[in-house]
Structure formats: C-alpha cells, structure tokens
Amino acid sequence: MRLDYQRFVDWADDNIVNRPKKVMLAFLLVTVVFTAGLGNVSTEAGTQQFAEDIPASNALERIENEFLPVFGDDAGSTQLVQRDRNVLSKQSMLAMLRAQRALEERDDMYVSSTSSAAAFVAQTIDPEATTLERQITTLERATEGDVRRAVRQNADNPALTGTVSNDFNAKSASASATIGVVQHDLPGGAGGGTAGQSGDSPLTPIQNDAQRIIDAELDTDITVFGSGIIADEFGTVITDSLLIVTPAAVLLIVGFLVVAYRDLLDLLLGVVSLGMAVIWTFGFLGLAGLPFNQIMISVPPLLLAVGIDFGIHAINRYREDRATGLDIESAMQKATDQLLVAFFIVTGTTVIGFFSNLASDLPPIRDFGVVAGVGIIFTFLIFGIFLPAAKVWLDRRRDDWPIPTFSQRPLGEEGSKLGEVLAVGVLIARKAPALMLVLALLFSAGAAGYATGVDTSFTQEDFLPPEEVSPLLKSLPEPFAPSDYGVVGTLNFLEDKFTTTQGGSVTIYVEGRMENDAALEQIHRAGENPPSAFVDDGDRRAESTSIVTIIQDQADQDPEFAALVERNDRNDNGVPDDNLDTIYRELAASTAGDRASQYLADDHRSARVVYSVSADASDSEATAAGQEVADRFRYDATPTGDIVVFQEVSDLIFESAITSLALALGLTVVFLVFIYWLLEGLPSLGIANLMPIVVAVASVAGTMRLLGISFNAFTATILSLTIGLGIDYSVHVVHRFVDERRERALVPALRRTVIGTGGALLGSMATTAFGIGVLVLAVLSVLGQFGVLTAISIVYSFLASLLVLPSALVVWDRIVNDDPGVPMGPNPGADTGPGSGSGHAADGGRPFAAATDTADEGGRP
C-alpha cells in the first residue's frame, strides 16, 4: 500500500521552499477573512448556560414563569437592599419610600409597581395610603410610637416578616436589613431573567442608573440588586480577566521566546504566527455564531501553548540541520519532512483530547471543545506551513537587512551542560528500564487511587469575581485594574441575613389537575415520614410550604373559610377533598390570595411545594431526598431549586470529566497505533508513546486532591486536556527517536533524540507553562485554578517524556528488535506500505540491515 502522506509532505515541501511568498500571501489573505468574523463574537456568561435541557432547571424556569415570588429574580424586578441599625424606624422607612419614589418619577426606569415593609406599615397606619406619595405623607405625620405599634401589629404577617432580616425583633420593632422591590414594565416585554442567566440583561442599564440616582439624591445605605447587576458582573469579569491575563501572558511568552529564539527576526515571526492562530480561531468563533463563554478565556493560552511548541521545534530543528552545513532550502526541507509528520500526530492527538468534550451534556464545555480543537488545527497549518515558508523567505533576505543576528544555534547540543541534564532519563533507561517502568506504573496507580477523593462543585460564585480582589490586582494601573465588584458581597449578605437557620430548601414542581379531588391529599401525604435530609416538624412530617399549608393557615385565621374547608374534608385531616375549585376561588379572594398564587398556578394545572432542608444535609443528600419525595406523587413531579440544579450540573461535570478522559485516552491509543502503523509500520510504538501520558494524567488528578481543587465548570476538561497537550511532548520524542534509530544503535539514537528534542521541549515547556500559568492572575479564582493545573500538567508531561519515556522506548526496542546495537534501517513503508517486506513486519522479526559504522556512537545498552 502506497503511503499517500508522503505526497502531502512533498507538496508542502515544494511550496514552502520554492514558493514561500505565495504561501505567505495565501495565509495572510485567510487571516483577513477571519478578521471579519471578530466583530461577530458574542459573549455568554453565568450559570444558566450550563443548565440547559436539565429537567430540574427546566422545572425551575417554569416555576419562575408561573408563580410570583415575594421578591426575587422574576423578570422585570429590582431589589433595594437597605441596611441600618433599625430599618423599621420611621426615618429608615421614609428613606426606602423616597428611594422608590425617586425611581418611579423617572420614565426611563419603567416602574410599574413597588412594594416594601415601609409601604405595608404605612398602609397599616392609613389603609388609604396606596401610593408612594400618600405613604410618605402618612409616615411623616406618624409618631415613632405609631410606627412601632404598626410593626408589632404585623409581627406574624409574612407580608412584613418576609421582607426583613432574620434578626427581626417584634418587641423592639427592629431589624438590621430589609428588601424593597421595584417592578418594571419593560418596553417590548423584555424580562430581566434570573440571577444565574447568561448573556446581556435589559435590566442592567436600569439597575446601574437606579444605584446612581439613589446615591445622588438620598443619604442612605441602599444597594440596588437584581439580575441586571449580576449579568453585568458576569460580563465584566470576562473583560477584566482578559485585560489582566493577556498582557501578562504576552510579556512572559515574549520573554521566553527571546531566550528560545535568540534572534529578532525569528522572534517576530513566532509572534506574528501566534497572532494569526488567535485571529483565525476567534474569527471562526464569530463566523460560526458560537458565543464566547468564560471557559473560553483559556483558549488563547492553549493556542499559544501549542503554537509556541510548534514554533520552537520548527526553528530549532531547522537550525540543527543548518548547523550540519546544509543550505536554507535543504535544511528546511529536511526539517519539514520530519516535523510535519510529528506536528500532524500532535495535532491529531490534541484535537482528540479537545473533541472528546463533545460527549459532555454541558453546552459550554462542548463549545469549548469545538473551538479549542479547531484552533489547534489552525495552529498546525500556520506553524507547519506558513512559519517555515516565512522563515525561508526571511533567511534568503537576512543579509540584505541591517538587522543583527544574535544566535542561530539550536537549544540543547551534544556536550553542553543542558544536554547532559536532559539525558538523565537515558542514563536510567540504560541501567534499569524495566524497574523504571514498574515504579512509574505503581506511582500512577497510587496517584489515581488517591485522586478518587477529588470533589466536584458547581456554584454561581464560580462565575463571579470574589468579594475581595487581591491588593496586587487592585494596584494595577488603568485600564488593567479590575472593576469594583459587589455582587458576591451582596449575595453573602442576603444569605446571612435573609435565610433561615435551615440548610436551604428543595422545591417539588407538580404538574396535574389541581382541582382533582385527590390533588391536595397527594401533596399532604408526600410529606409524611420525610427523608432524613428534610426537616421534620416533630410530627413525622416534612416542614414545608405549599397550597395545603396556606389553606390551613387561612382556615386558622378565618372561621368562615375554615367552615368551607371542613365541609369539603372527608377524612377530617384539615385537607379539603371536594369542591377544590371553590376552595381556590375563596382563597384567592382572601388576604392570603397573593401567597396562594406563589404555590398554585392561575390555571390550577401546576403547583409547587417547598421543603426545608436540614442544616447538616449535603447538596447530594438534599437532591436525593427531593427525588424520593417526588416519586411519591402520582402526578408528574420534578425536584428543583438551586440546590438540585447545581447538584445535577455538578454530577454532569464529573461525568463529563470521566467520559472525556475515557474517550480521549481510548481514541488516542487507537489513533497512535494506527498512525505509527501507517507511517512507520510500527503500531506498538503507539503504546510506548502513551506511557508518559498515563503518568501525567494520574499525577494531575492526584495533585488536584492534594491542592484541594475540585472538578468544576473550568477544571472538568483538565484530564482530557492533559492528554491533548501532554501527548505533544512524547510524540516529538518518539518520532525523533524512530528517525535516529534507523541510522544508529539504540543508545546513541536515544541520546541524540533526548538532547536534540529535549532542548526544544524544555523551551516549549517553560514558555507554555508560564504563559498559561498567568491565568492565576485572573479575577476568577476558578480560572486561576485551571491555569495552575494546566501548567502543572505541562510540566508533568515534559518530565515524564524525558524520564519515563526513554525507559519505555528501550523496553519496546528490546521486544521489537533482536539487536539493539544495530540500526533499524530505512522505513520500508515509505515504498511498499506498512507490514510489507522483510525486516520488522508487524513489529516483529530482525531489524533491517544498515551501515555498521556506529561503533563510535555506542553499542548495546
């Protein structure tokens, strides 16, 4: 079988060496095309993008559409969070009402209604006070005693207590915080979305302006909060992180490239090529209509990582061949003959690593896999064809330009101190290769076992800037200094002040005809003998709030309604069984009507039940308890709520990590075995090639637990990414080793491989590890964790390729070749196809005969 890959290599060589200018112009033209796509790139942020098509999330969305919360993230609402020594004092309540009036008077605030504890107290004093102006007048005329009496009068009324902090004291009529709500009627019916919603929010400008209006007109501590503010910080943190990380990465990368290239023209060529790779990738992002999400902040450093590696290897191998006395054309042709194949193998395995994320059920991770994989393909084309062609074109004109040439020597040479350090793995491979492999496998097994304790997590805070930004970042000059962030601080304040001592809640969304006689009995019975994760009310029932509890509460306060319930209660358990449409109609007309609408849909075809979760219950236990209770319903019932949604996403993150790892590992093995069979007739080389990757992946997973880093939306891809990036190092070593081994005995070939390729690998490792490591400067702490883990994975892959892989190659060579002291000879596959001819057919048989003038280069190990 004729190997058609050689035709591509020959075609590429011909164009690179003989038509470099045309190659450069073609690539620059494509760059212009992709530049047009940059303007179409849109952003997507937040947690909602991860929850698409998850049943619990869909149920939560339906709840938000069908039921009206007391205050919350329903579309078109803004929360005014007030803090004071006593927010129920006359002056504090006047400040809240005046803040709401200031917004209501502005047409561009689109205010449709307002509500607050202050308004409720004013209406208690004067039932006719139905407007903000009248409520303000009522409180201005009232005495402090009138206000306190009105507060005490409503001490048990949820309309008041539901909007004040947990430290509410009825006796002193005091609380330290309260929340007022402003409803907006946005033009076109646009809504504000939920707190975790991704993308832009129409409430963002409204809520930002509202904060400025209140700060300018009132001397009070009121914080404007809502989905618009959260969406704004979701987007701002992306911009701020890119502004910090990108310049830092560029400075570090350029610094390392100066050391690696030691030549101004080569440095400029490398930087231009890196820029083209980024432009092509993000131009593709815009042209394909894929949104830029927070995970994709890591894409530019990843492209730089692979691009730098390709660039250093291309330049370094070219310099090695030039050092032997070859001219420009011959040296580049020899370099590309070897490197194009190596780059192709690296690209194939790296793309497999990234594309394995397509198996994820989480859309942002799938999008990340697509963009990163396509970006790597672009990087291969640019550094495999454009950079060599540009290098040929520049070197032909180098002498005509007044630009100094500092060094054209390759990194890592025989006899150099660096070369001796890089060859440590060869020394181990000569003495005890089998022992080294056994130790590496034992270490990997131990690290993998230890890594089973790695946690998974998914929280809204992962996508938001921290409450306190580090002083280092704050000290940066504009425009690099991060913005002032307040969302996490406000969320923490609300969680601290407005949640009960319970551990949160789980909501069951029930779909069915709620007018059916057995509907309320189902809701009632579902709470009997609750799971341990739910709070027990002391009567072997789950502590819950539902349309049933609201009916019971209203019956306790309204004798006439209680009589109606009793007449329609067959088993005298306080839960009506008959004429439920009448029950609902009377309840809606009562003072409990607003509360009832929060738990029963207007069309009576769905309801929600909220169960309190024990403080010591984990999210996974609470989610399991919710599913157990939901299964008790004969109607369609879905457990939901933030706890359930985030737990389900967290479970999917773990599944994605394991699935993508298994796919990446399995497909990489198949690809390497096939490609080495196709190119070299040596399929078993693919197995040897994988040895350092197994060590690196296990080490990264173990390091995650050691550092206390969990699998989250960002680190879920780290294991498959380790395969994708780490295989780069072992592929370069293995491919160079095969070339050297065909001309030399085992040990000299291995030594030349490690010293020649190791120098380029060292430069690539240092540059990419630090270049990606700068993600630790990102405002998002989870992005910093991703950067640290990626840098660590690169270091581990480099060390494993130089310390473990030589031993694996020695063991492989002893199995495949009868005499390690004799060169393997030329590749028969280049002429007759893999597996044909005599020699090492099917990885067996004696090595091909070759020249025997290698005694001076060593013999058997």
Side-chain angles (χ1 to χ4, degrees):
M1 183 177 66
R2 176 73 179 171
L3 291 185
D4 290 335
Y5 84 89
Q6 190 61 47
R7 295 179 183 175
F8 169 77
V9 174
D10 292 340
W11 172 84
D13 284 343
D14 180 56
N15 284 279
I16 289 169
V17 173
N18 298 320
R19 304 174 189 85
K21 189 174 180 179
K22 290 184 178 179
V23 171
M24 293 168 61
L25 290 174
F27 273 77
L28 292 175
L29 181 61
V30 174
T31 303
V32 172
V33 173
F34 279 118
T35 301
L38 295 177
N40 297 327
V41 176
S42 60
T43 59
E44 185 175 42
T47 58
Q48 188 62 30
Q49 55 183 319
F50 287 86
E52 293 178 10
D53 299 327
I54 293 177
S57 178
N58 294 337
L60 186 60
E61 185 176 348
R62 289 196 294 272
I63 285 175
E64 291 170 349
N65 291 333
E66 295 175 20
F67 306 101
L68 297 177
V70 178
F71 57 85
D73 301 318
D74 58 299
S77 69
T78 294
Q79 295 143 39
L80 305 182
V81 183
Q82 184 180 28
R83 315 173 207 205
D84 205 343
R85 289 184 59 187
N86 180 16
V87 294
L88 297 178
S89 68
K90 175 181 175 179
Q91 292 305 316
S92 290
M93 288 196 285
L94 280 170
M96 171 62 78
L97 293 174
R98 287 166 181 159
Q100 291 180 320
R101 181 180 63 179
L103 301 182
E104 187 181 55
E105 291 175 344
R106 295 281 297 266
D107 292 339
D108 57 356
M109 291 290 104
Y110 304 106
V111 175
S112 60
S113 64
T114 61
S115 61
S116 64
F120 189 77
V121 169
Q123 287 181 286
T124 301
I125 297 172
D126 178 9
E128 302 297 324
T130 57
T131 65
L132 284 173
E133 201 63 50
R134 182 74 174 267
Q135 291 162 4
I136 292 172
T137 301
T138 298
L139 287 184
E140 286 175 338
R141 293 175 178 174
T143 65
E144 290 285 358
D146 294 334
V147 171
R148 284 194 295 271
R149 279 190 296 273
V151 171
R152 294 189 189 112
Q153 184 179 338
N154 293 281
D156 296 325
N157 193 324
L160 175 69
T161 59
T163 60
V164 295
S165 52
N166 295 332
D167 57 7
F168 169 64
N169 186 310
K171 185 176 180 180
S172 62
S174 65
S176 62
T178 184
I179 298 178
V181 176
V182 176
Q183 295 287 344
H184 306 276
D185 185 8
L186 300 177
T194 64
Q197 184 173 345
S198 58
D200 298 330
S201 168
L203 283 176
T204 296
I206 291 175
Q207 291 174 350
N208 285 334
D209 287 345
Q211 186 69 70
R212 285 191 287 268
I213 291 169
I214 292 174
D215 290 344
E217 298 188 13
L218 298 168
D219 183 18
T220 185
D221 185 2
I222 292 180
T223 301
V224 176
F225 193 65
S227 58
I229 298 291
I230 295 176
D232 188 35
E233 286 203 6
F234 276 144
T236 300
V237 73
I238 293 179
T239 304
D240 287 352
S241 294
L242 286 174
L243 278 175
I244 295 170
V245 168
T246 303
V250 169
L251 287 175
L252 274 173
I253 288 171
V254 169
F256 279 109
L257 288 180
V258 167
V259 176
Y261 288 138
R262 291 154 293 147
D263 180 80
L264 182 58
L265 285 179
D266 289 348
L267 174 64
L268 291 175
L269 179 56
V271 171
V272 168
S273 299
L274 290 173
M276 288 174 60
V278 173
I279 291 173
W280 281 32
T281 302
F282 283 92
F284 164 80
L285 191 72
L287 295 175
L290 296 173
F292 181 89
N293 60 57
Q294 285 154 310
I295 300 180
M296 290 186 192
I297 294 175
S298 61
V299 170
L302 293 175
L303 297 180
L304 297 179
V306 177
I308 287 167
D309 173 78
F310 283 2
I312 290 178
H313 273 93
I315 298 298
N316 204 61
R317 186 58 191 265
Y318 169 75
R319 289 179 178 179
E320 283 188 59
D321 294 326
R322 286 280 282 160
T324 64
L326 295 177
D327 59 21
I328 293 173
E329 290 76 13
S330 299
M332 183 57 73
Q333 186 169 354
K334 185 176 180 182
T336 53
D337 279 347
Q338 197 266 346
L339 287 176
L340 277 175
V341 177
F343 287 174
F344 174 75
I345 298 174
V346 169
T347 300
T349 52
T350 306
V351 168
I352 286 173
F354 286 129
F355 278 6
S356 65
N357 290 297
L358 291 174
S360 173
D361 290 324
L362 301 173
I365 292 180
R366 291 200 301 268
D367 290 347
F368 165 79
V370 170
V371 174
V374 171
I376 296 302
I377 294 173
F378 290 159
T379 303
F380 163 69
L381 295 174
I382 291 169
F383 283 86
I385 298 176
F386 170 80
L387 183 140
K391 176 65 174 171
V392 169
W393 187 82
L394 287 173
D395 276 8
R396 287 173 177 171
R397 291 157 179 78
R398 181 182 292 271
D399 295 337
D400 299 332
W401 294 340
I403 299 176
T405 300
F406 297 97
S407 176
Q408 289 291 305
R409 295 177 61 187
L411 284 170
E413 296 178 286
E414 188 73 44
S416 67
K417 293 181 179 180
L418 175 60
E420 295 304 315
V421 172
L422 294 174
V424 169
V426 178
L427 179 62
I428 297 173
R430 290 186 64 182
K431 301 295 184 183
L435 178 61
M436 181 63 177
L437 291 186
V438 170
L439 291 176
L441 289 173
L442 289 175
F443 172 80
S444 300
Y450 178 69
T452 56
V454 176
D455 293 328
T456 57
S457 68
F458 182 79
T459 64
Q460 181 170 260
E461 284 74 13
D462 287 345
F463 300 85
L464 290 168
E467 186 172 359
E468 291 292 332
V469 178
S470 71
L472 173 64
L473 297 183
K474 283 185 176 180
S475 64
L476 292 174
E478 293 295 342
F480 306 108
S483 307
D484 293 326
Y485 306 115
V487 166
V488 171
T490 303
L491 287 172
N492 290 338
F493 176 81
L494 293 176
E495 182 178 352
D496 179 54
K497 290 289 186 179
F498 290 88
T499 56
T500 66
T501 55
Q502 311 297 340
S505 65
V506 167
T507 298
I508 305 297
Y509 176 66
V510 184
E511 295 180 279
R513 291 189 61 199
M514 292 297 117
E515 293 174 352
N516 186 292
D517 290 349
L520 297 186
E521 287 288 355
Q522 276 196 58
I523 295 176
H524 183 67
R525 286 196 298 267
E528 296 175 350
N529 300 314
S532 59
F534 284 175
V535 176
D536 192 318
D537 66 0
D539 194 25
R540 299 182 66 184
R541 292 193 57 79
E543 183 178 291
S544 63
T545 304
S546 66
I547 189 63
V548 172
T549 63
I550 293 171
I551 288 173
Q552 293 171 335
D553 290 344
Q554 183 62 20
D556 291 340
Q557 298 177 19
D558 185 344
E560 185 176 342
F561 184 75
L564 175 64
V565 170
E566 185 176 359
R567 287 196 303 271
N568 292 281
D569 183 6
R570 299 175 193 167
N571 52 6
D572 295 325
N573 65 347
V575 180
D577 306 285
D578 298 323
N579 299 315
L580 294 188
D581 56 338
T582 303
I583 300 287
Y584 298 151
R585 185 169 58 253
E586 293 299 321
L587 183 65
S590 71
T591 56
D594 288 342
R595 286 193 69 212
S597 67
Q598 300 162 27
Y599 296 91
L600 179 68
D602 291 340
D603 61 3
H604 301 166
R605 292 188 176 275
S606 62
R608 70 178 181 126
V609 186
V610 181
Y611 294 95
S612 298
V613 175
S614 301
D616 58 351
S618 66
D619 288 355
S620 59
E621 291 171 338
T623 300
Q627 187 61 59
E628 179 182 337
V629 171
D631 291 340
R632 298 176 181 179
F633 286 86
R634 283 199 288 262
Y635 289 140
D636 290 334
T638 306
T640 186
D642 286 344
I643 289 178
V644 178
V645 172
F646 284 6
Q647 181 60 40
E648 288 195 8
V649 174
S650 179
D651 292 341
L652 286 177
I653 285 173
F654 181 75
E655 291 176 15
S656 293
I658 300 304
T659 302
S660 61
L661 171 63
L663 276 175
L665 201 58
L667 293 176
T668 297
V669 170
V670 172
F671 177 79
L672 289 176
V673 168
F674 173 76
I675 206 70
Y676 281 118
W677 169 77
L678 181 67
L679 301 182
E680 306 290 350
L682 301 167
S684 59
L685 259 181
I687 307 299
N689 202 152
L690 204 64
M691 183 66 195
I693 298 307
V694 172
V695 176
V697 170
S699 300
V700 169
T703 302
M704 288 183 68
R705 182 178 178 183
L706 186 65
L707 298 180
I709 299 175
S710 61
F711 284 117
N712 54 48
F714 292 82
T715 58
T717 62
I718 193 64
L719 298 183
S720 61
L721 187 147
T722 299
I723 295 175
L725 291 180
I727 202 77
D728 185 358
Y729 295 89
S730 60
V731 163
H732 281 299
V733 172
V734 170
H735 197 73
R736 176 70 178 268
F737 170 74
V738 172
D739 281 355
E740 298 289 349
R741 185 69 179 90
R742 294 195 185 285
E743 300 175 1
R744 294 170 179 82
L746 173 59
V747 173
L750 193 58
R751 183 176 175 84
R752 282 178 60 88
T753 295
V754 170
I755 292 176
T757 303
L761 290 178
L762 176 63
S764 173
M765 180 275 294
T767 307
T768 54
F770 280 97
I772 292 179
V774 299
L775 286 173
V776 75
L777 298 175
V779 179
L780 288 174
S781 60
V782 290
L783 195 57
Q785 293 175 353
F786 176 82
V788 168
L789 287 177
T790 305
I792 288 174
S793 73
I794 290 171
V795 173
Y796 286 170
S797 299
F798 167 77
L799 292 176
S801 294
L802 292 190
L803 297 179
V804 178
L805 184 54
S807 294
L809 291 174
V810 167
V811 172
W812 171 84
D813 195 273
R814 288 177 174 176
I815 293 173
V816 172
N817 295 313
D818 291 340
D819 189 352
V822 178
M824 285 168 48
N827 175 16
D831 297 319
T832 59
S836 62
S838 53
H840 48 73
D843 278 12
R846 293 186 54 81
F848 286 91
T852 58
D853 57 345
T854 54
D856 60 324
E857 295 176 305
R860 290 182 176 84

Tab-separated table of all heavy atoms in Angstrom, residues 225 233 460-461 464-468 485-494:
chain	number	residue	atom	x	y	z
A	225	PHE	N	-29.969	45.827	43.599
A	225	PHE	CA	-29.552	44.466	43.275
A	225	PHE	C	-30.585	43.821	42.363
A	225	PHE	O	-31.767	44.177	42.386
A	225	PHE	CB	-29.405	43.642	44.562
A	225	PHE	CG	-28.687	42.332	44.379
A	225	PHE	CD1	-27.355	42.306	44.017
A	225	PHE	CD2	-29.359	41.134	44.560
A	225	PHE	CE1	-26.683	41.110	43.853
A	225	PHE	CE2	-28.699	39.934	44.395
A	225	PHE	CZ	-27.361	39.919	44.039
A	233	GLU	N	-21.863	41.948	36.062
A	233	GLU	CA	-20.592	41.448	36.609
A	233	GLU	C	-20.155	40.164	35.929
A	233	GLU	O	-18.957	39.903	35.797
A	233	GLU	CB	-20.703	41.262	38.121
A	233	GLU	CG	-20.682	42.580	38.872
A	233	GLU	CD	-20.237	42.454	40.321
A	233	GLU	OE1	-19.822	41.347	40.725
A	233	GLU	OE2	-20.295	43.463	41.030
A	460	GLN	N	-22.810	29.424	41.684
A	460	GLN	CA	-22.878	30.689	40.952
A	460	GLN	C	-21.639	31.534	41.210
A	460	GLN	O	-21.170	32.257	40.330
A	460	GLN	CB	-24.137	31.451	41.380
A	460	GLN	CG	-24.316	32.774	40.647
A	460	GLN	CD	-25.680	33.388	40.907
A	460	GLN	OE1	-26.573	33.282	40.086
A	460	GLN	NE2	-25.836	34.033	42.040
A	461	GLU	N	-21.079	31.408	42.426
A	461	GLU	CA	-19.908	32.205	42.779
A	461	GLU	C	-18.691	31.860	41.927
A	461	GLU	O	-17.753	32.668	41.814
A	461	GLU	CB	-19.577	32.024	44.271
A	461	GLU	CG	-20.506	32.776	45.221
A	461	GLU	CD	-21.889	32.133	45.328
A	461	GLU	OE1	-22.032	30.971	44.868
A	461	GLU	OE2	-22.820	32.783	45.838
A	464	LEU	N	-18.434	34.477	39.290
A	464	LEU	CA	-18.439	35.867	39.726
A	464	LEU	C	-17.101	36.213	40.366
A	464	LEU	O	-16.421	35.343	40.912
A	464	LEU	CB	-19.566	36.094	40.743
A	464	LEU	CG	-20.993	36.047	40.185
A	464	LEU	CD1	-21.994	35.987	41.325
A	464	LEU	CD2	-21.268	37.258	39.297
A	465	PRO	N	-16.718	37.483	40.321
A	465	PRO	CA	-15.461	37.886	40.959
A	465	PRO	C	-15.573	37.737	42.467
A	465	PRO	O	-16.678	37.759	43.025
A	465	PRO	CB	-15.321	39.363	40.557
A	465	PRO	CG	-16.713	39.809	40.238
A	465	PRO	CD	-17.416	38.607	39.683
A	466	PRO	N	-14.458	37.583	43.161
A	466	PRO	CA	-14.510	37.405	44.614
A	466	PRO	C	-14.987	38.668	45.317
A	466	PRO	O	-14.963	39.764	44.751
A	466	PRO	CB	-13.053	37.087	44.975
A	466	PRO	CG	-12.253	37.719	43.892
A	466	PRO	CD	-13.086	37.587	42.647
A	467	GLU	N	-15.400	38.493	46.560
A	467	GLU	CA	-15.863	39.642	47.335
A	467	GLU	C	-14.724	40.632	47.544
A	467	GLU	O	-14.916	41.844	47.514
A	467	GLU	CB	-16.416	39.171	48.677
A	467	GLU	CG	-17.050	40.273	49.501
A	467	GLU	CD	-17.754	39.743	50.733
A	467	GLU	OE1	-17.765	38.499	50.928
A	467	GLU	OE2	-18.296	40.545	51.498
A	468	GLU	N	-13.510	40.103	47.750
A	468	GLU	CA	-12.327	40.948	47.927
A	468	GLU	C	-11.296	40.612	46.853
A	468	GLU	O	-10.815	39.483	46.792
A	468	GLU	CB	-11.722	40.750	49.319
A	468	GLU	CG	-12.567	41.298	50.468
A	468	GLU	CD	-12.640	42.811	50.462
A	468	GLU	OE1	-11.684	43.433	49.962
A	468	GLU	OE2	-13.639	43.362	50.945
A	485	TYR	N	-16.360	45.284	42.434
A	485	TYR	CA	-17.379	44.241	42.379
A	485	TYR	C	-18.182	44.213	43.682
A	485	TYR	O	-17.621	44.391	44.760
A	485	TYR	CB	-16.746	42.866	42.169
A	485	TYR	CG	-15.826	42.796	40.972
A	485	TYR	CD1	-14.466	42.571	41.125
A	485	TYR	CD2	-16.328	42.948	39.686
A	485	TYR	CE1	-13.628	42.494	40.022
A	485	TYR	CE2	-15.500	42.874	38.581
A	485	TYR	CZ	-14.137	42.652	38.762
A	485	TYR	OH	-13.320	42.584	37.677
A	486	GLY	N	-19.472	43.972	43.579
A	486	GLY	CA	-20.291	43.939	44.782
A	486	GLY	C	-21.279	42.796	44.849
A	486	GLY	O	-21.924	42.597	45.879
A	487	VAL	N	-21.422	42.029	43.767
A	487	VAL	CA	-22.464	41.006	43.735
A	487	VAL	C	-22.244	39.927	44.788
A	487	VAL	O	-23.161	39.569	45.539
A	487	VAL	CB	-22.557	40.370	42.327
A	487	VAL	CG1	-23.389	39.090	42.370
A	487	VAL	CG2	-23.187	41.343	41.353
A	488	VAL	N	-21.032	39.379	44.860
A	488	VAL	CA	-20.777	38.302	45.821
A	488	VAL	C	-20.976	38.806	47.249
A	488	VAL	O	-21.547	38.102	48.097
A	488	VAL	CB	-19.362	37.723	45.634
A	488	VAL	CG1	-19.017	36.766	46.759
A	488	VAL	CG2	-19.265	37.002	44.305
A	489	GLY	N	-20.528	40.036	47.531
A	489	GLY	CA	-20.733	40.604	48.859
A	489	GLY	C	-22.213	40.735	49.189
A	489	GLY	O	-22.646	40.408	50.304
A	490	THR	N	-22.992	41.185	48.222
A	490	THR	CA	-24.437	41.314	48.442
A	490	THR	C	-25.088	39.945	48.603
A	490	THR	O	-25.960	39.749	49.467
A	490	THR	CB	-25.096	42.074	47.273
A	490	THR	OG1	-24.471	43.346	47.122
A	490	THR	CG2	-26.572	42.273	47.524
A	491	LEU	N	-24.694	38.981	47.777
A	491	LEU	CA	-25.236	37.629	47.898
A	491	LEU	C	-24.928	37.039	49.264
A	491	LEU	O	-25.788	36.412	49.899
A	491	LEU	CB	-24.673	36.728	46.800
A	491	LEU	CG	-25.201	36.942	45.380
A	491	LEU	CD1	-24.408	36.111	44.385
A	491	LEU	CD2	-26.683	36.586	45.297
A	492	ASN	N	-23.688	37.227	49.728
A	492	ASN	CA	-23.317	36.719	51.052
A	492	ASN	C	-24.128	37.402	52.145
A	492	ASN	O	-24.548	36.767	53.119
A	492	ASN	CB	-21.821	36.930	51.303
A	492	ASN	CG	-20.954	36.037	50.433
A	492	ASN	OD1	-21.416	35.003	49.938
A	492	ASN	ND2	-19.711	36.425	50.229
A	493	PHE	N	-24.352	38.702	51.986
A	493	PHE	CA	-25.146	39.450	52.962
A	493	PHE	C	-26.584	38.933	52.988
A	493	PHE	O	-27.163	38.705	54.059
A	493	PHE	CB	-25.124	40.938	52.617
A	493	PHE	CG	-25.983	41.784	53.517
A	493	PHE	CD1	-25.522	42.181	54.761
A	493	PHE	CD2	-27.257	42.183	53.116
A	493	PHE	CE1	-26.316	42.954	55.598
A	493	PHE	CE2	-28.053	42.946	53.937
A	493	PHE	CZ	-27.585	43.345	55.188
A	494	LEU	N	-27.168	38.739	51.807
A	494	LEU	CA	-28.541	38.235	51.740
A	494	LEU	C	-28.648	36.832	52.326
A	494	LEU	O	-29.610	36.510	53.035
A	494	LEU	CB	-29.029	38.232	50.286
A	494	LEU	CG	-29.202	39.601	49.620
A	494	LEU	CD1	-29.582	39.436	48.159
A	494	LEU	CD2	-30.259	40.429	50.351
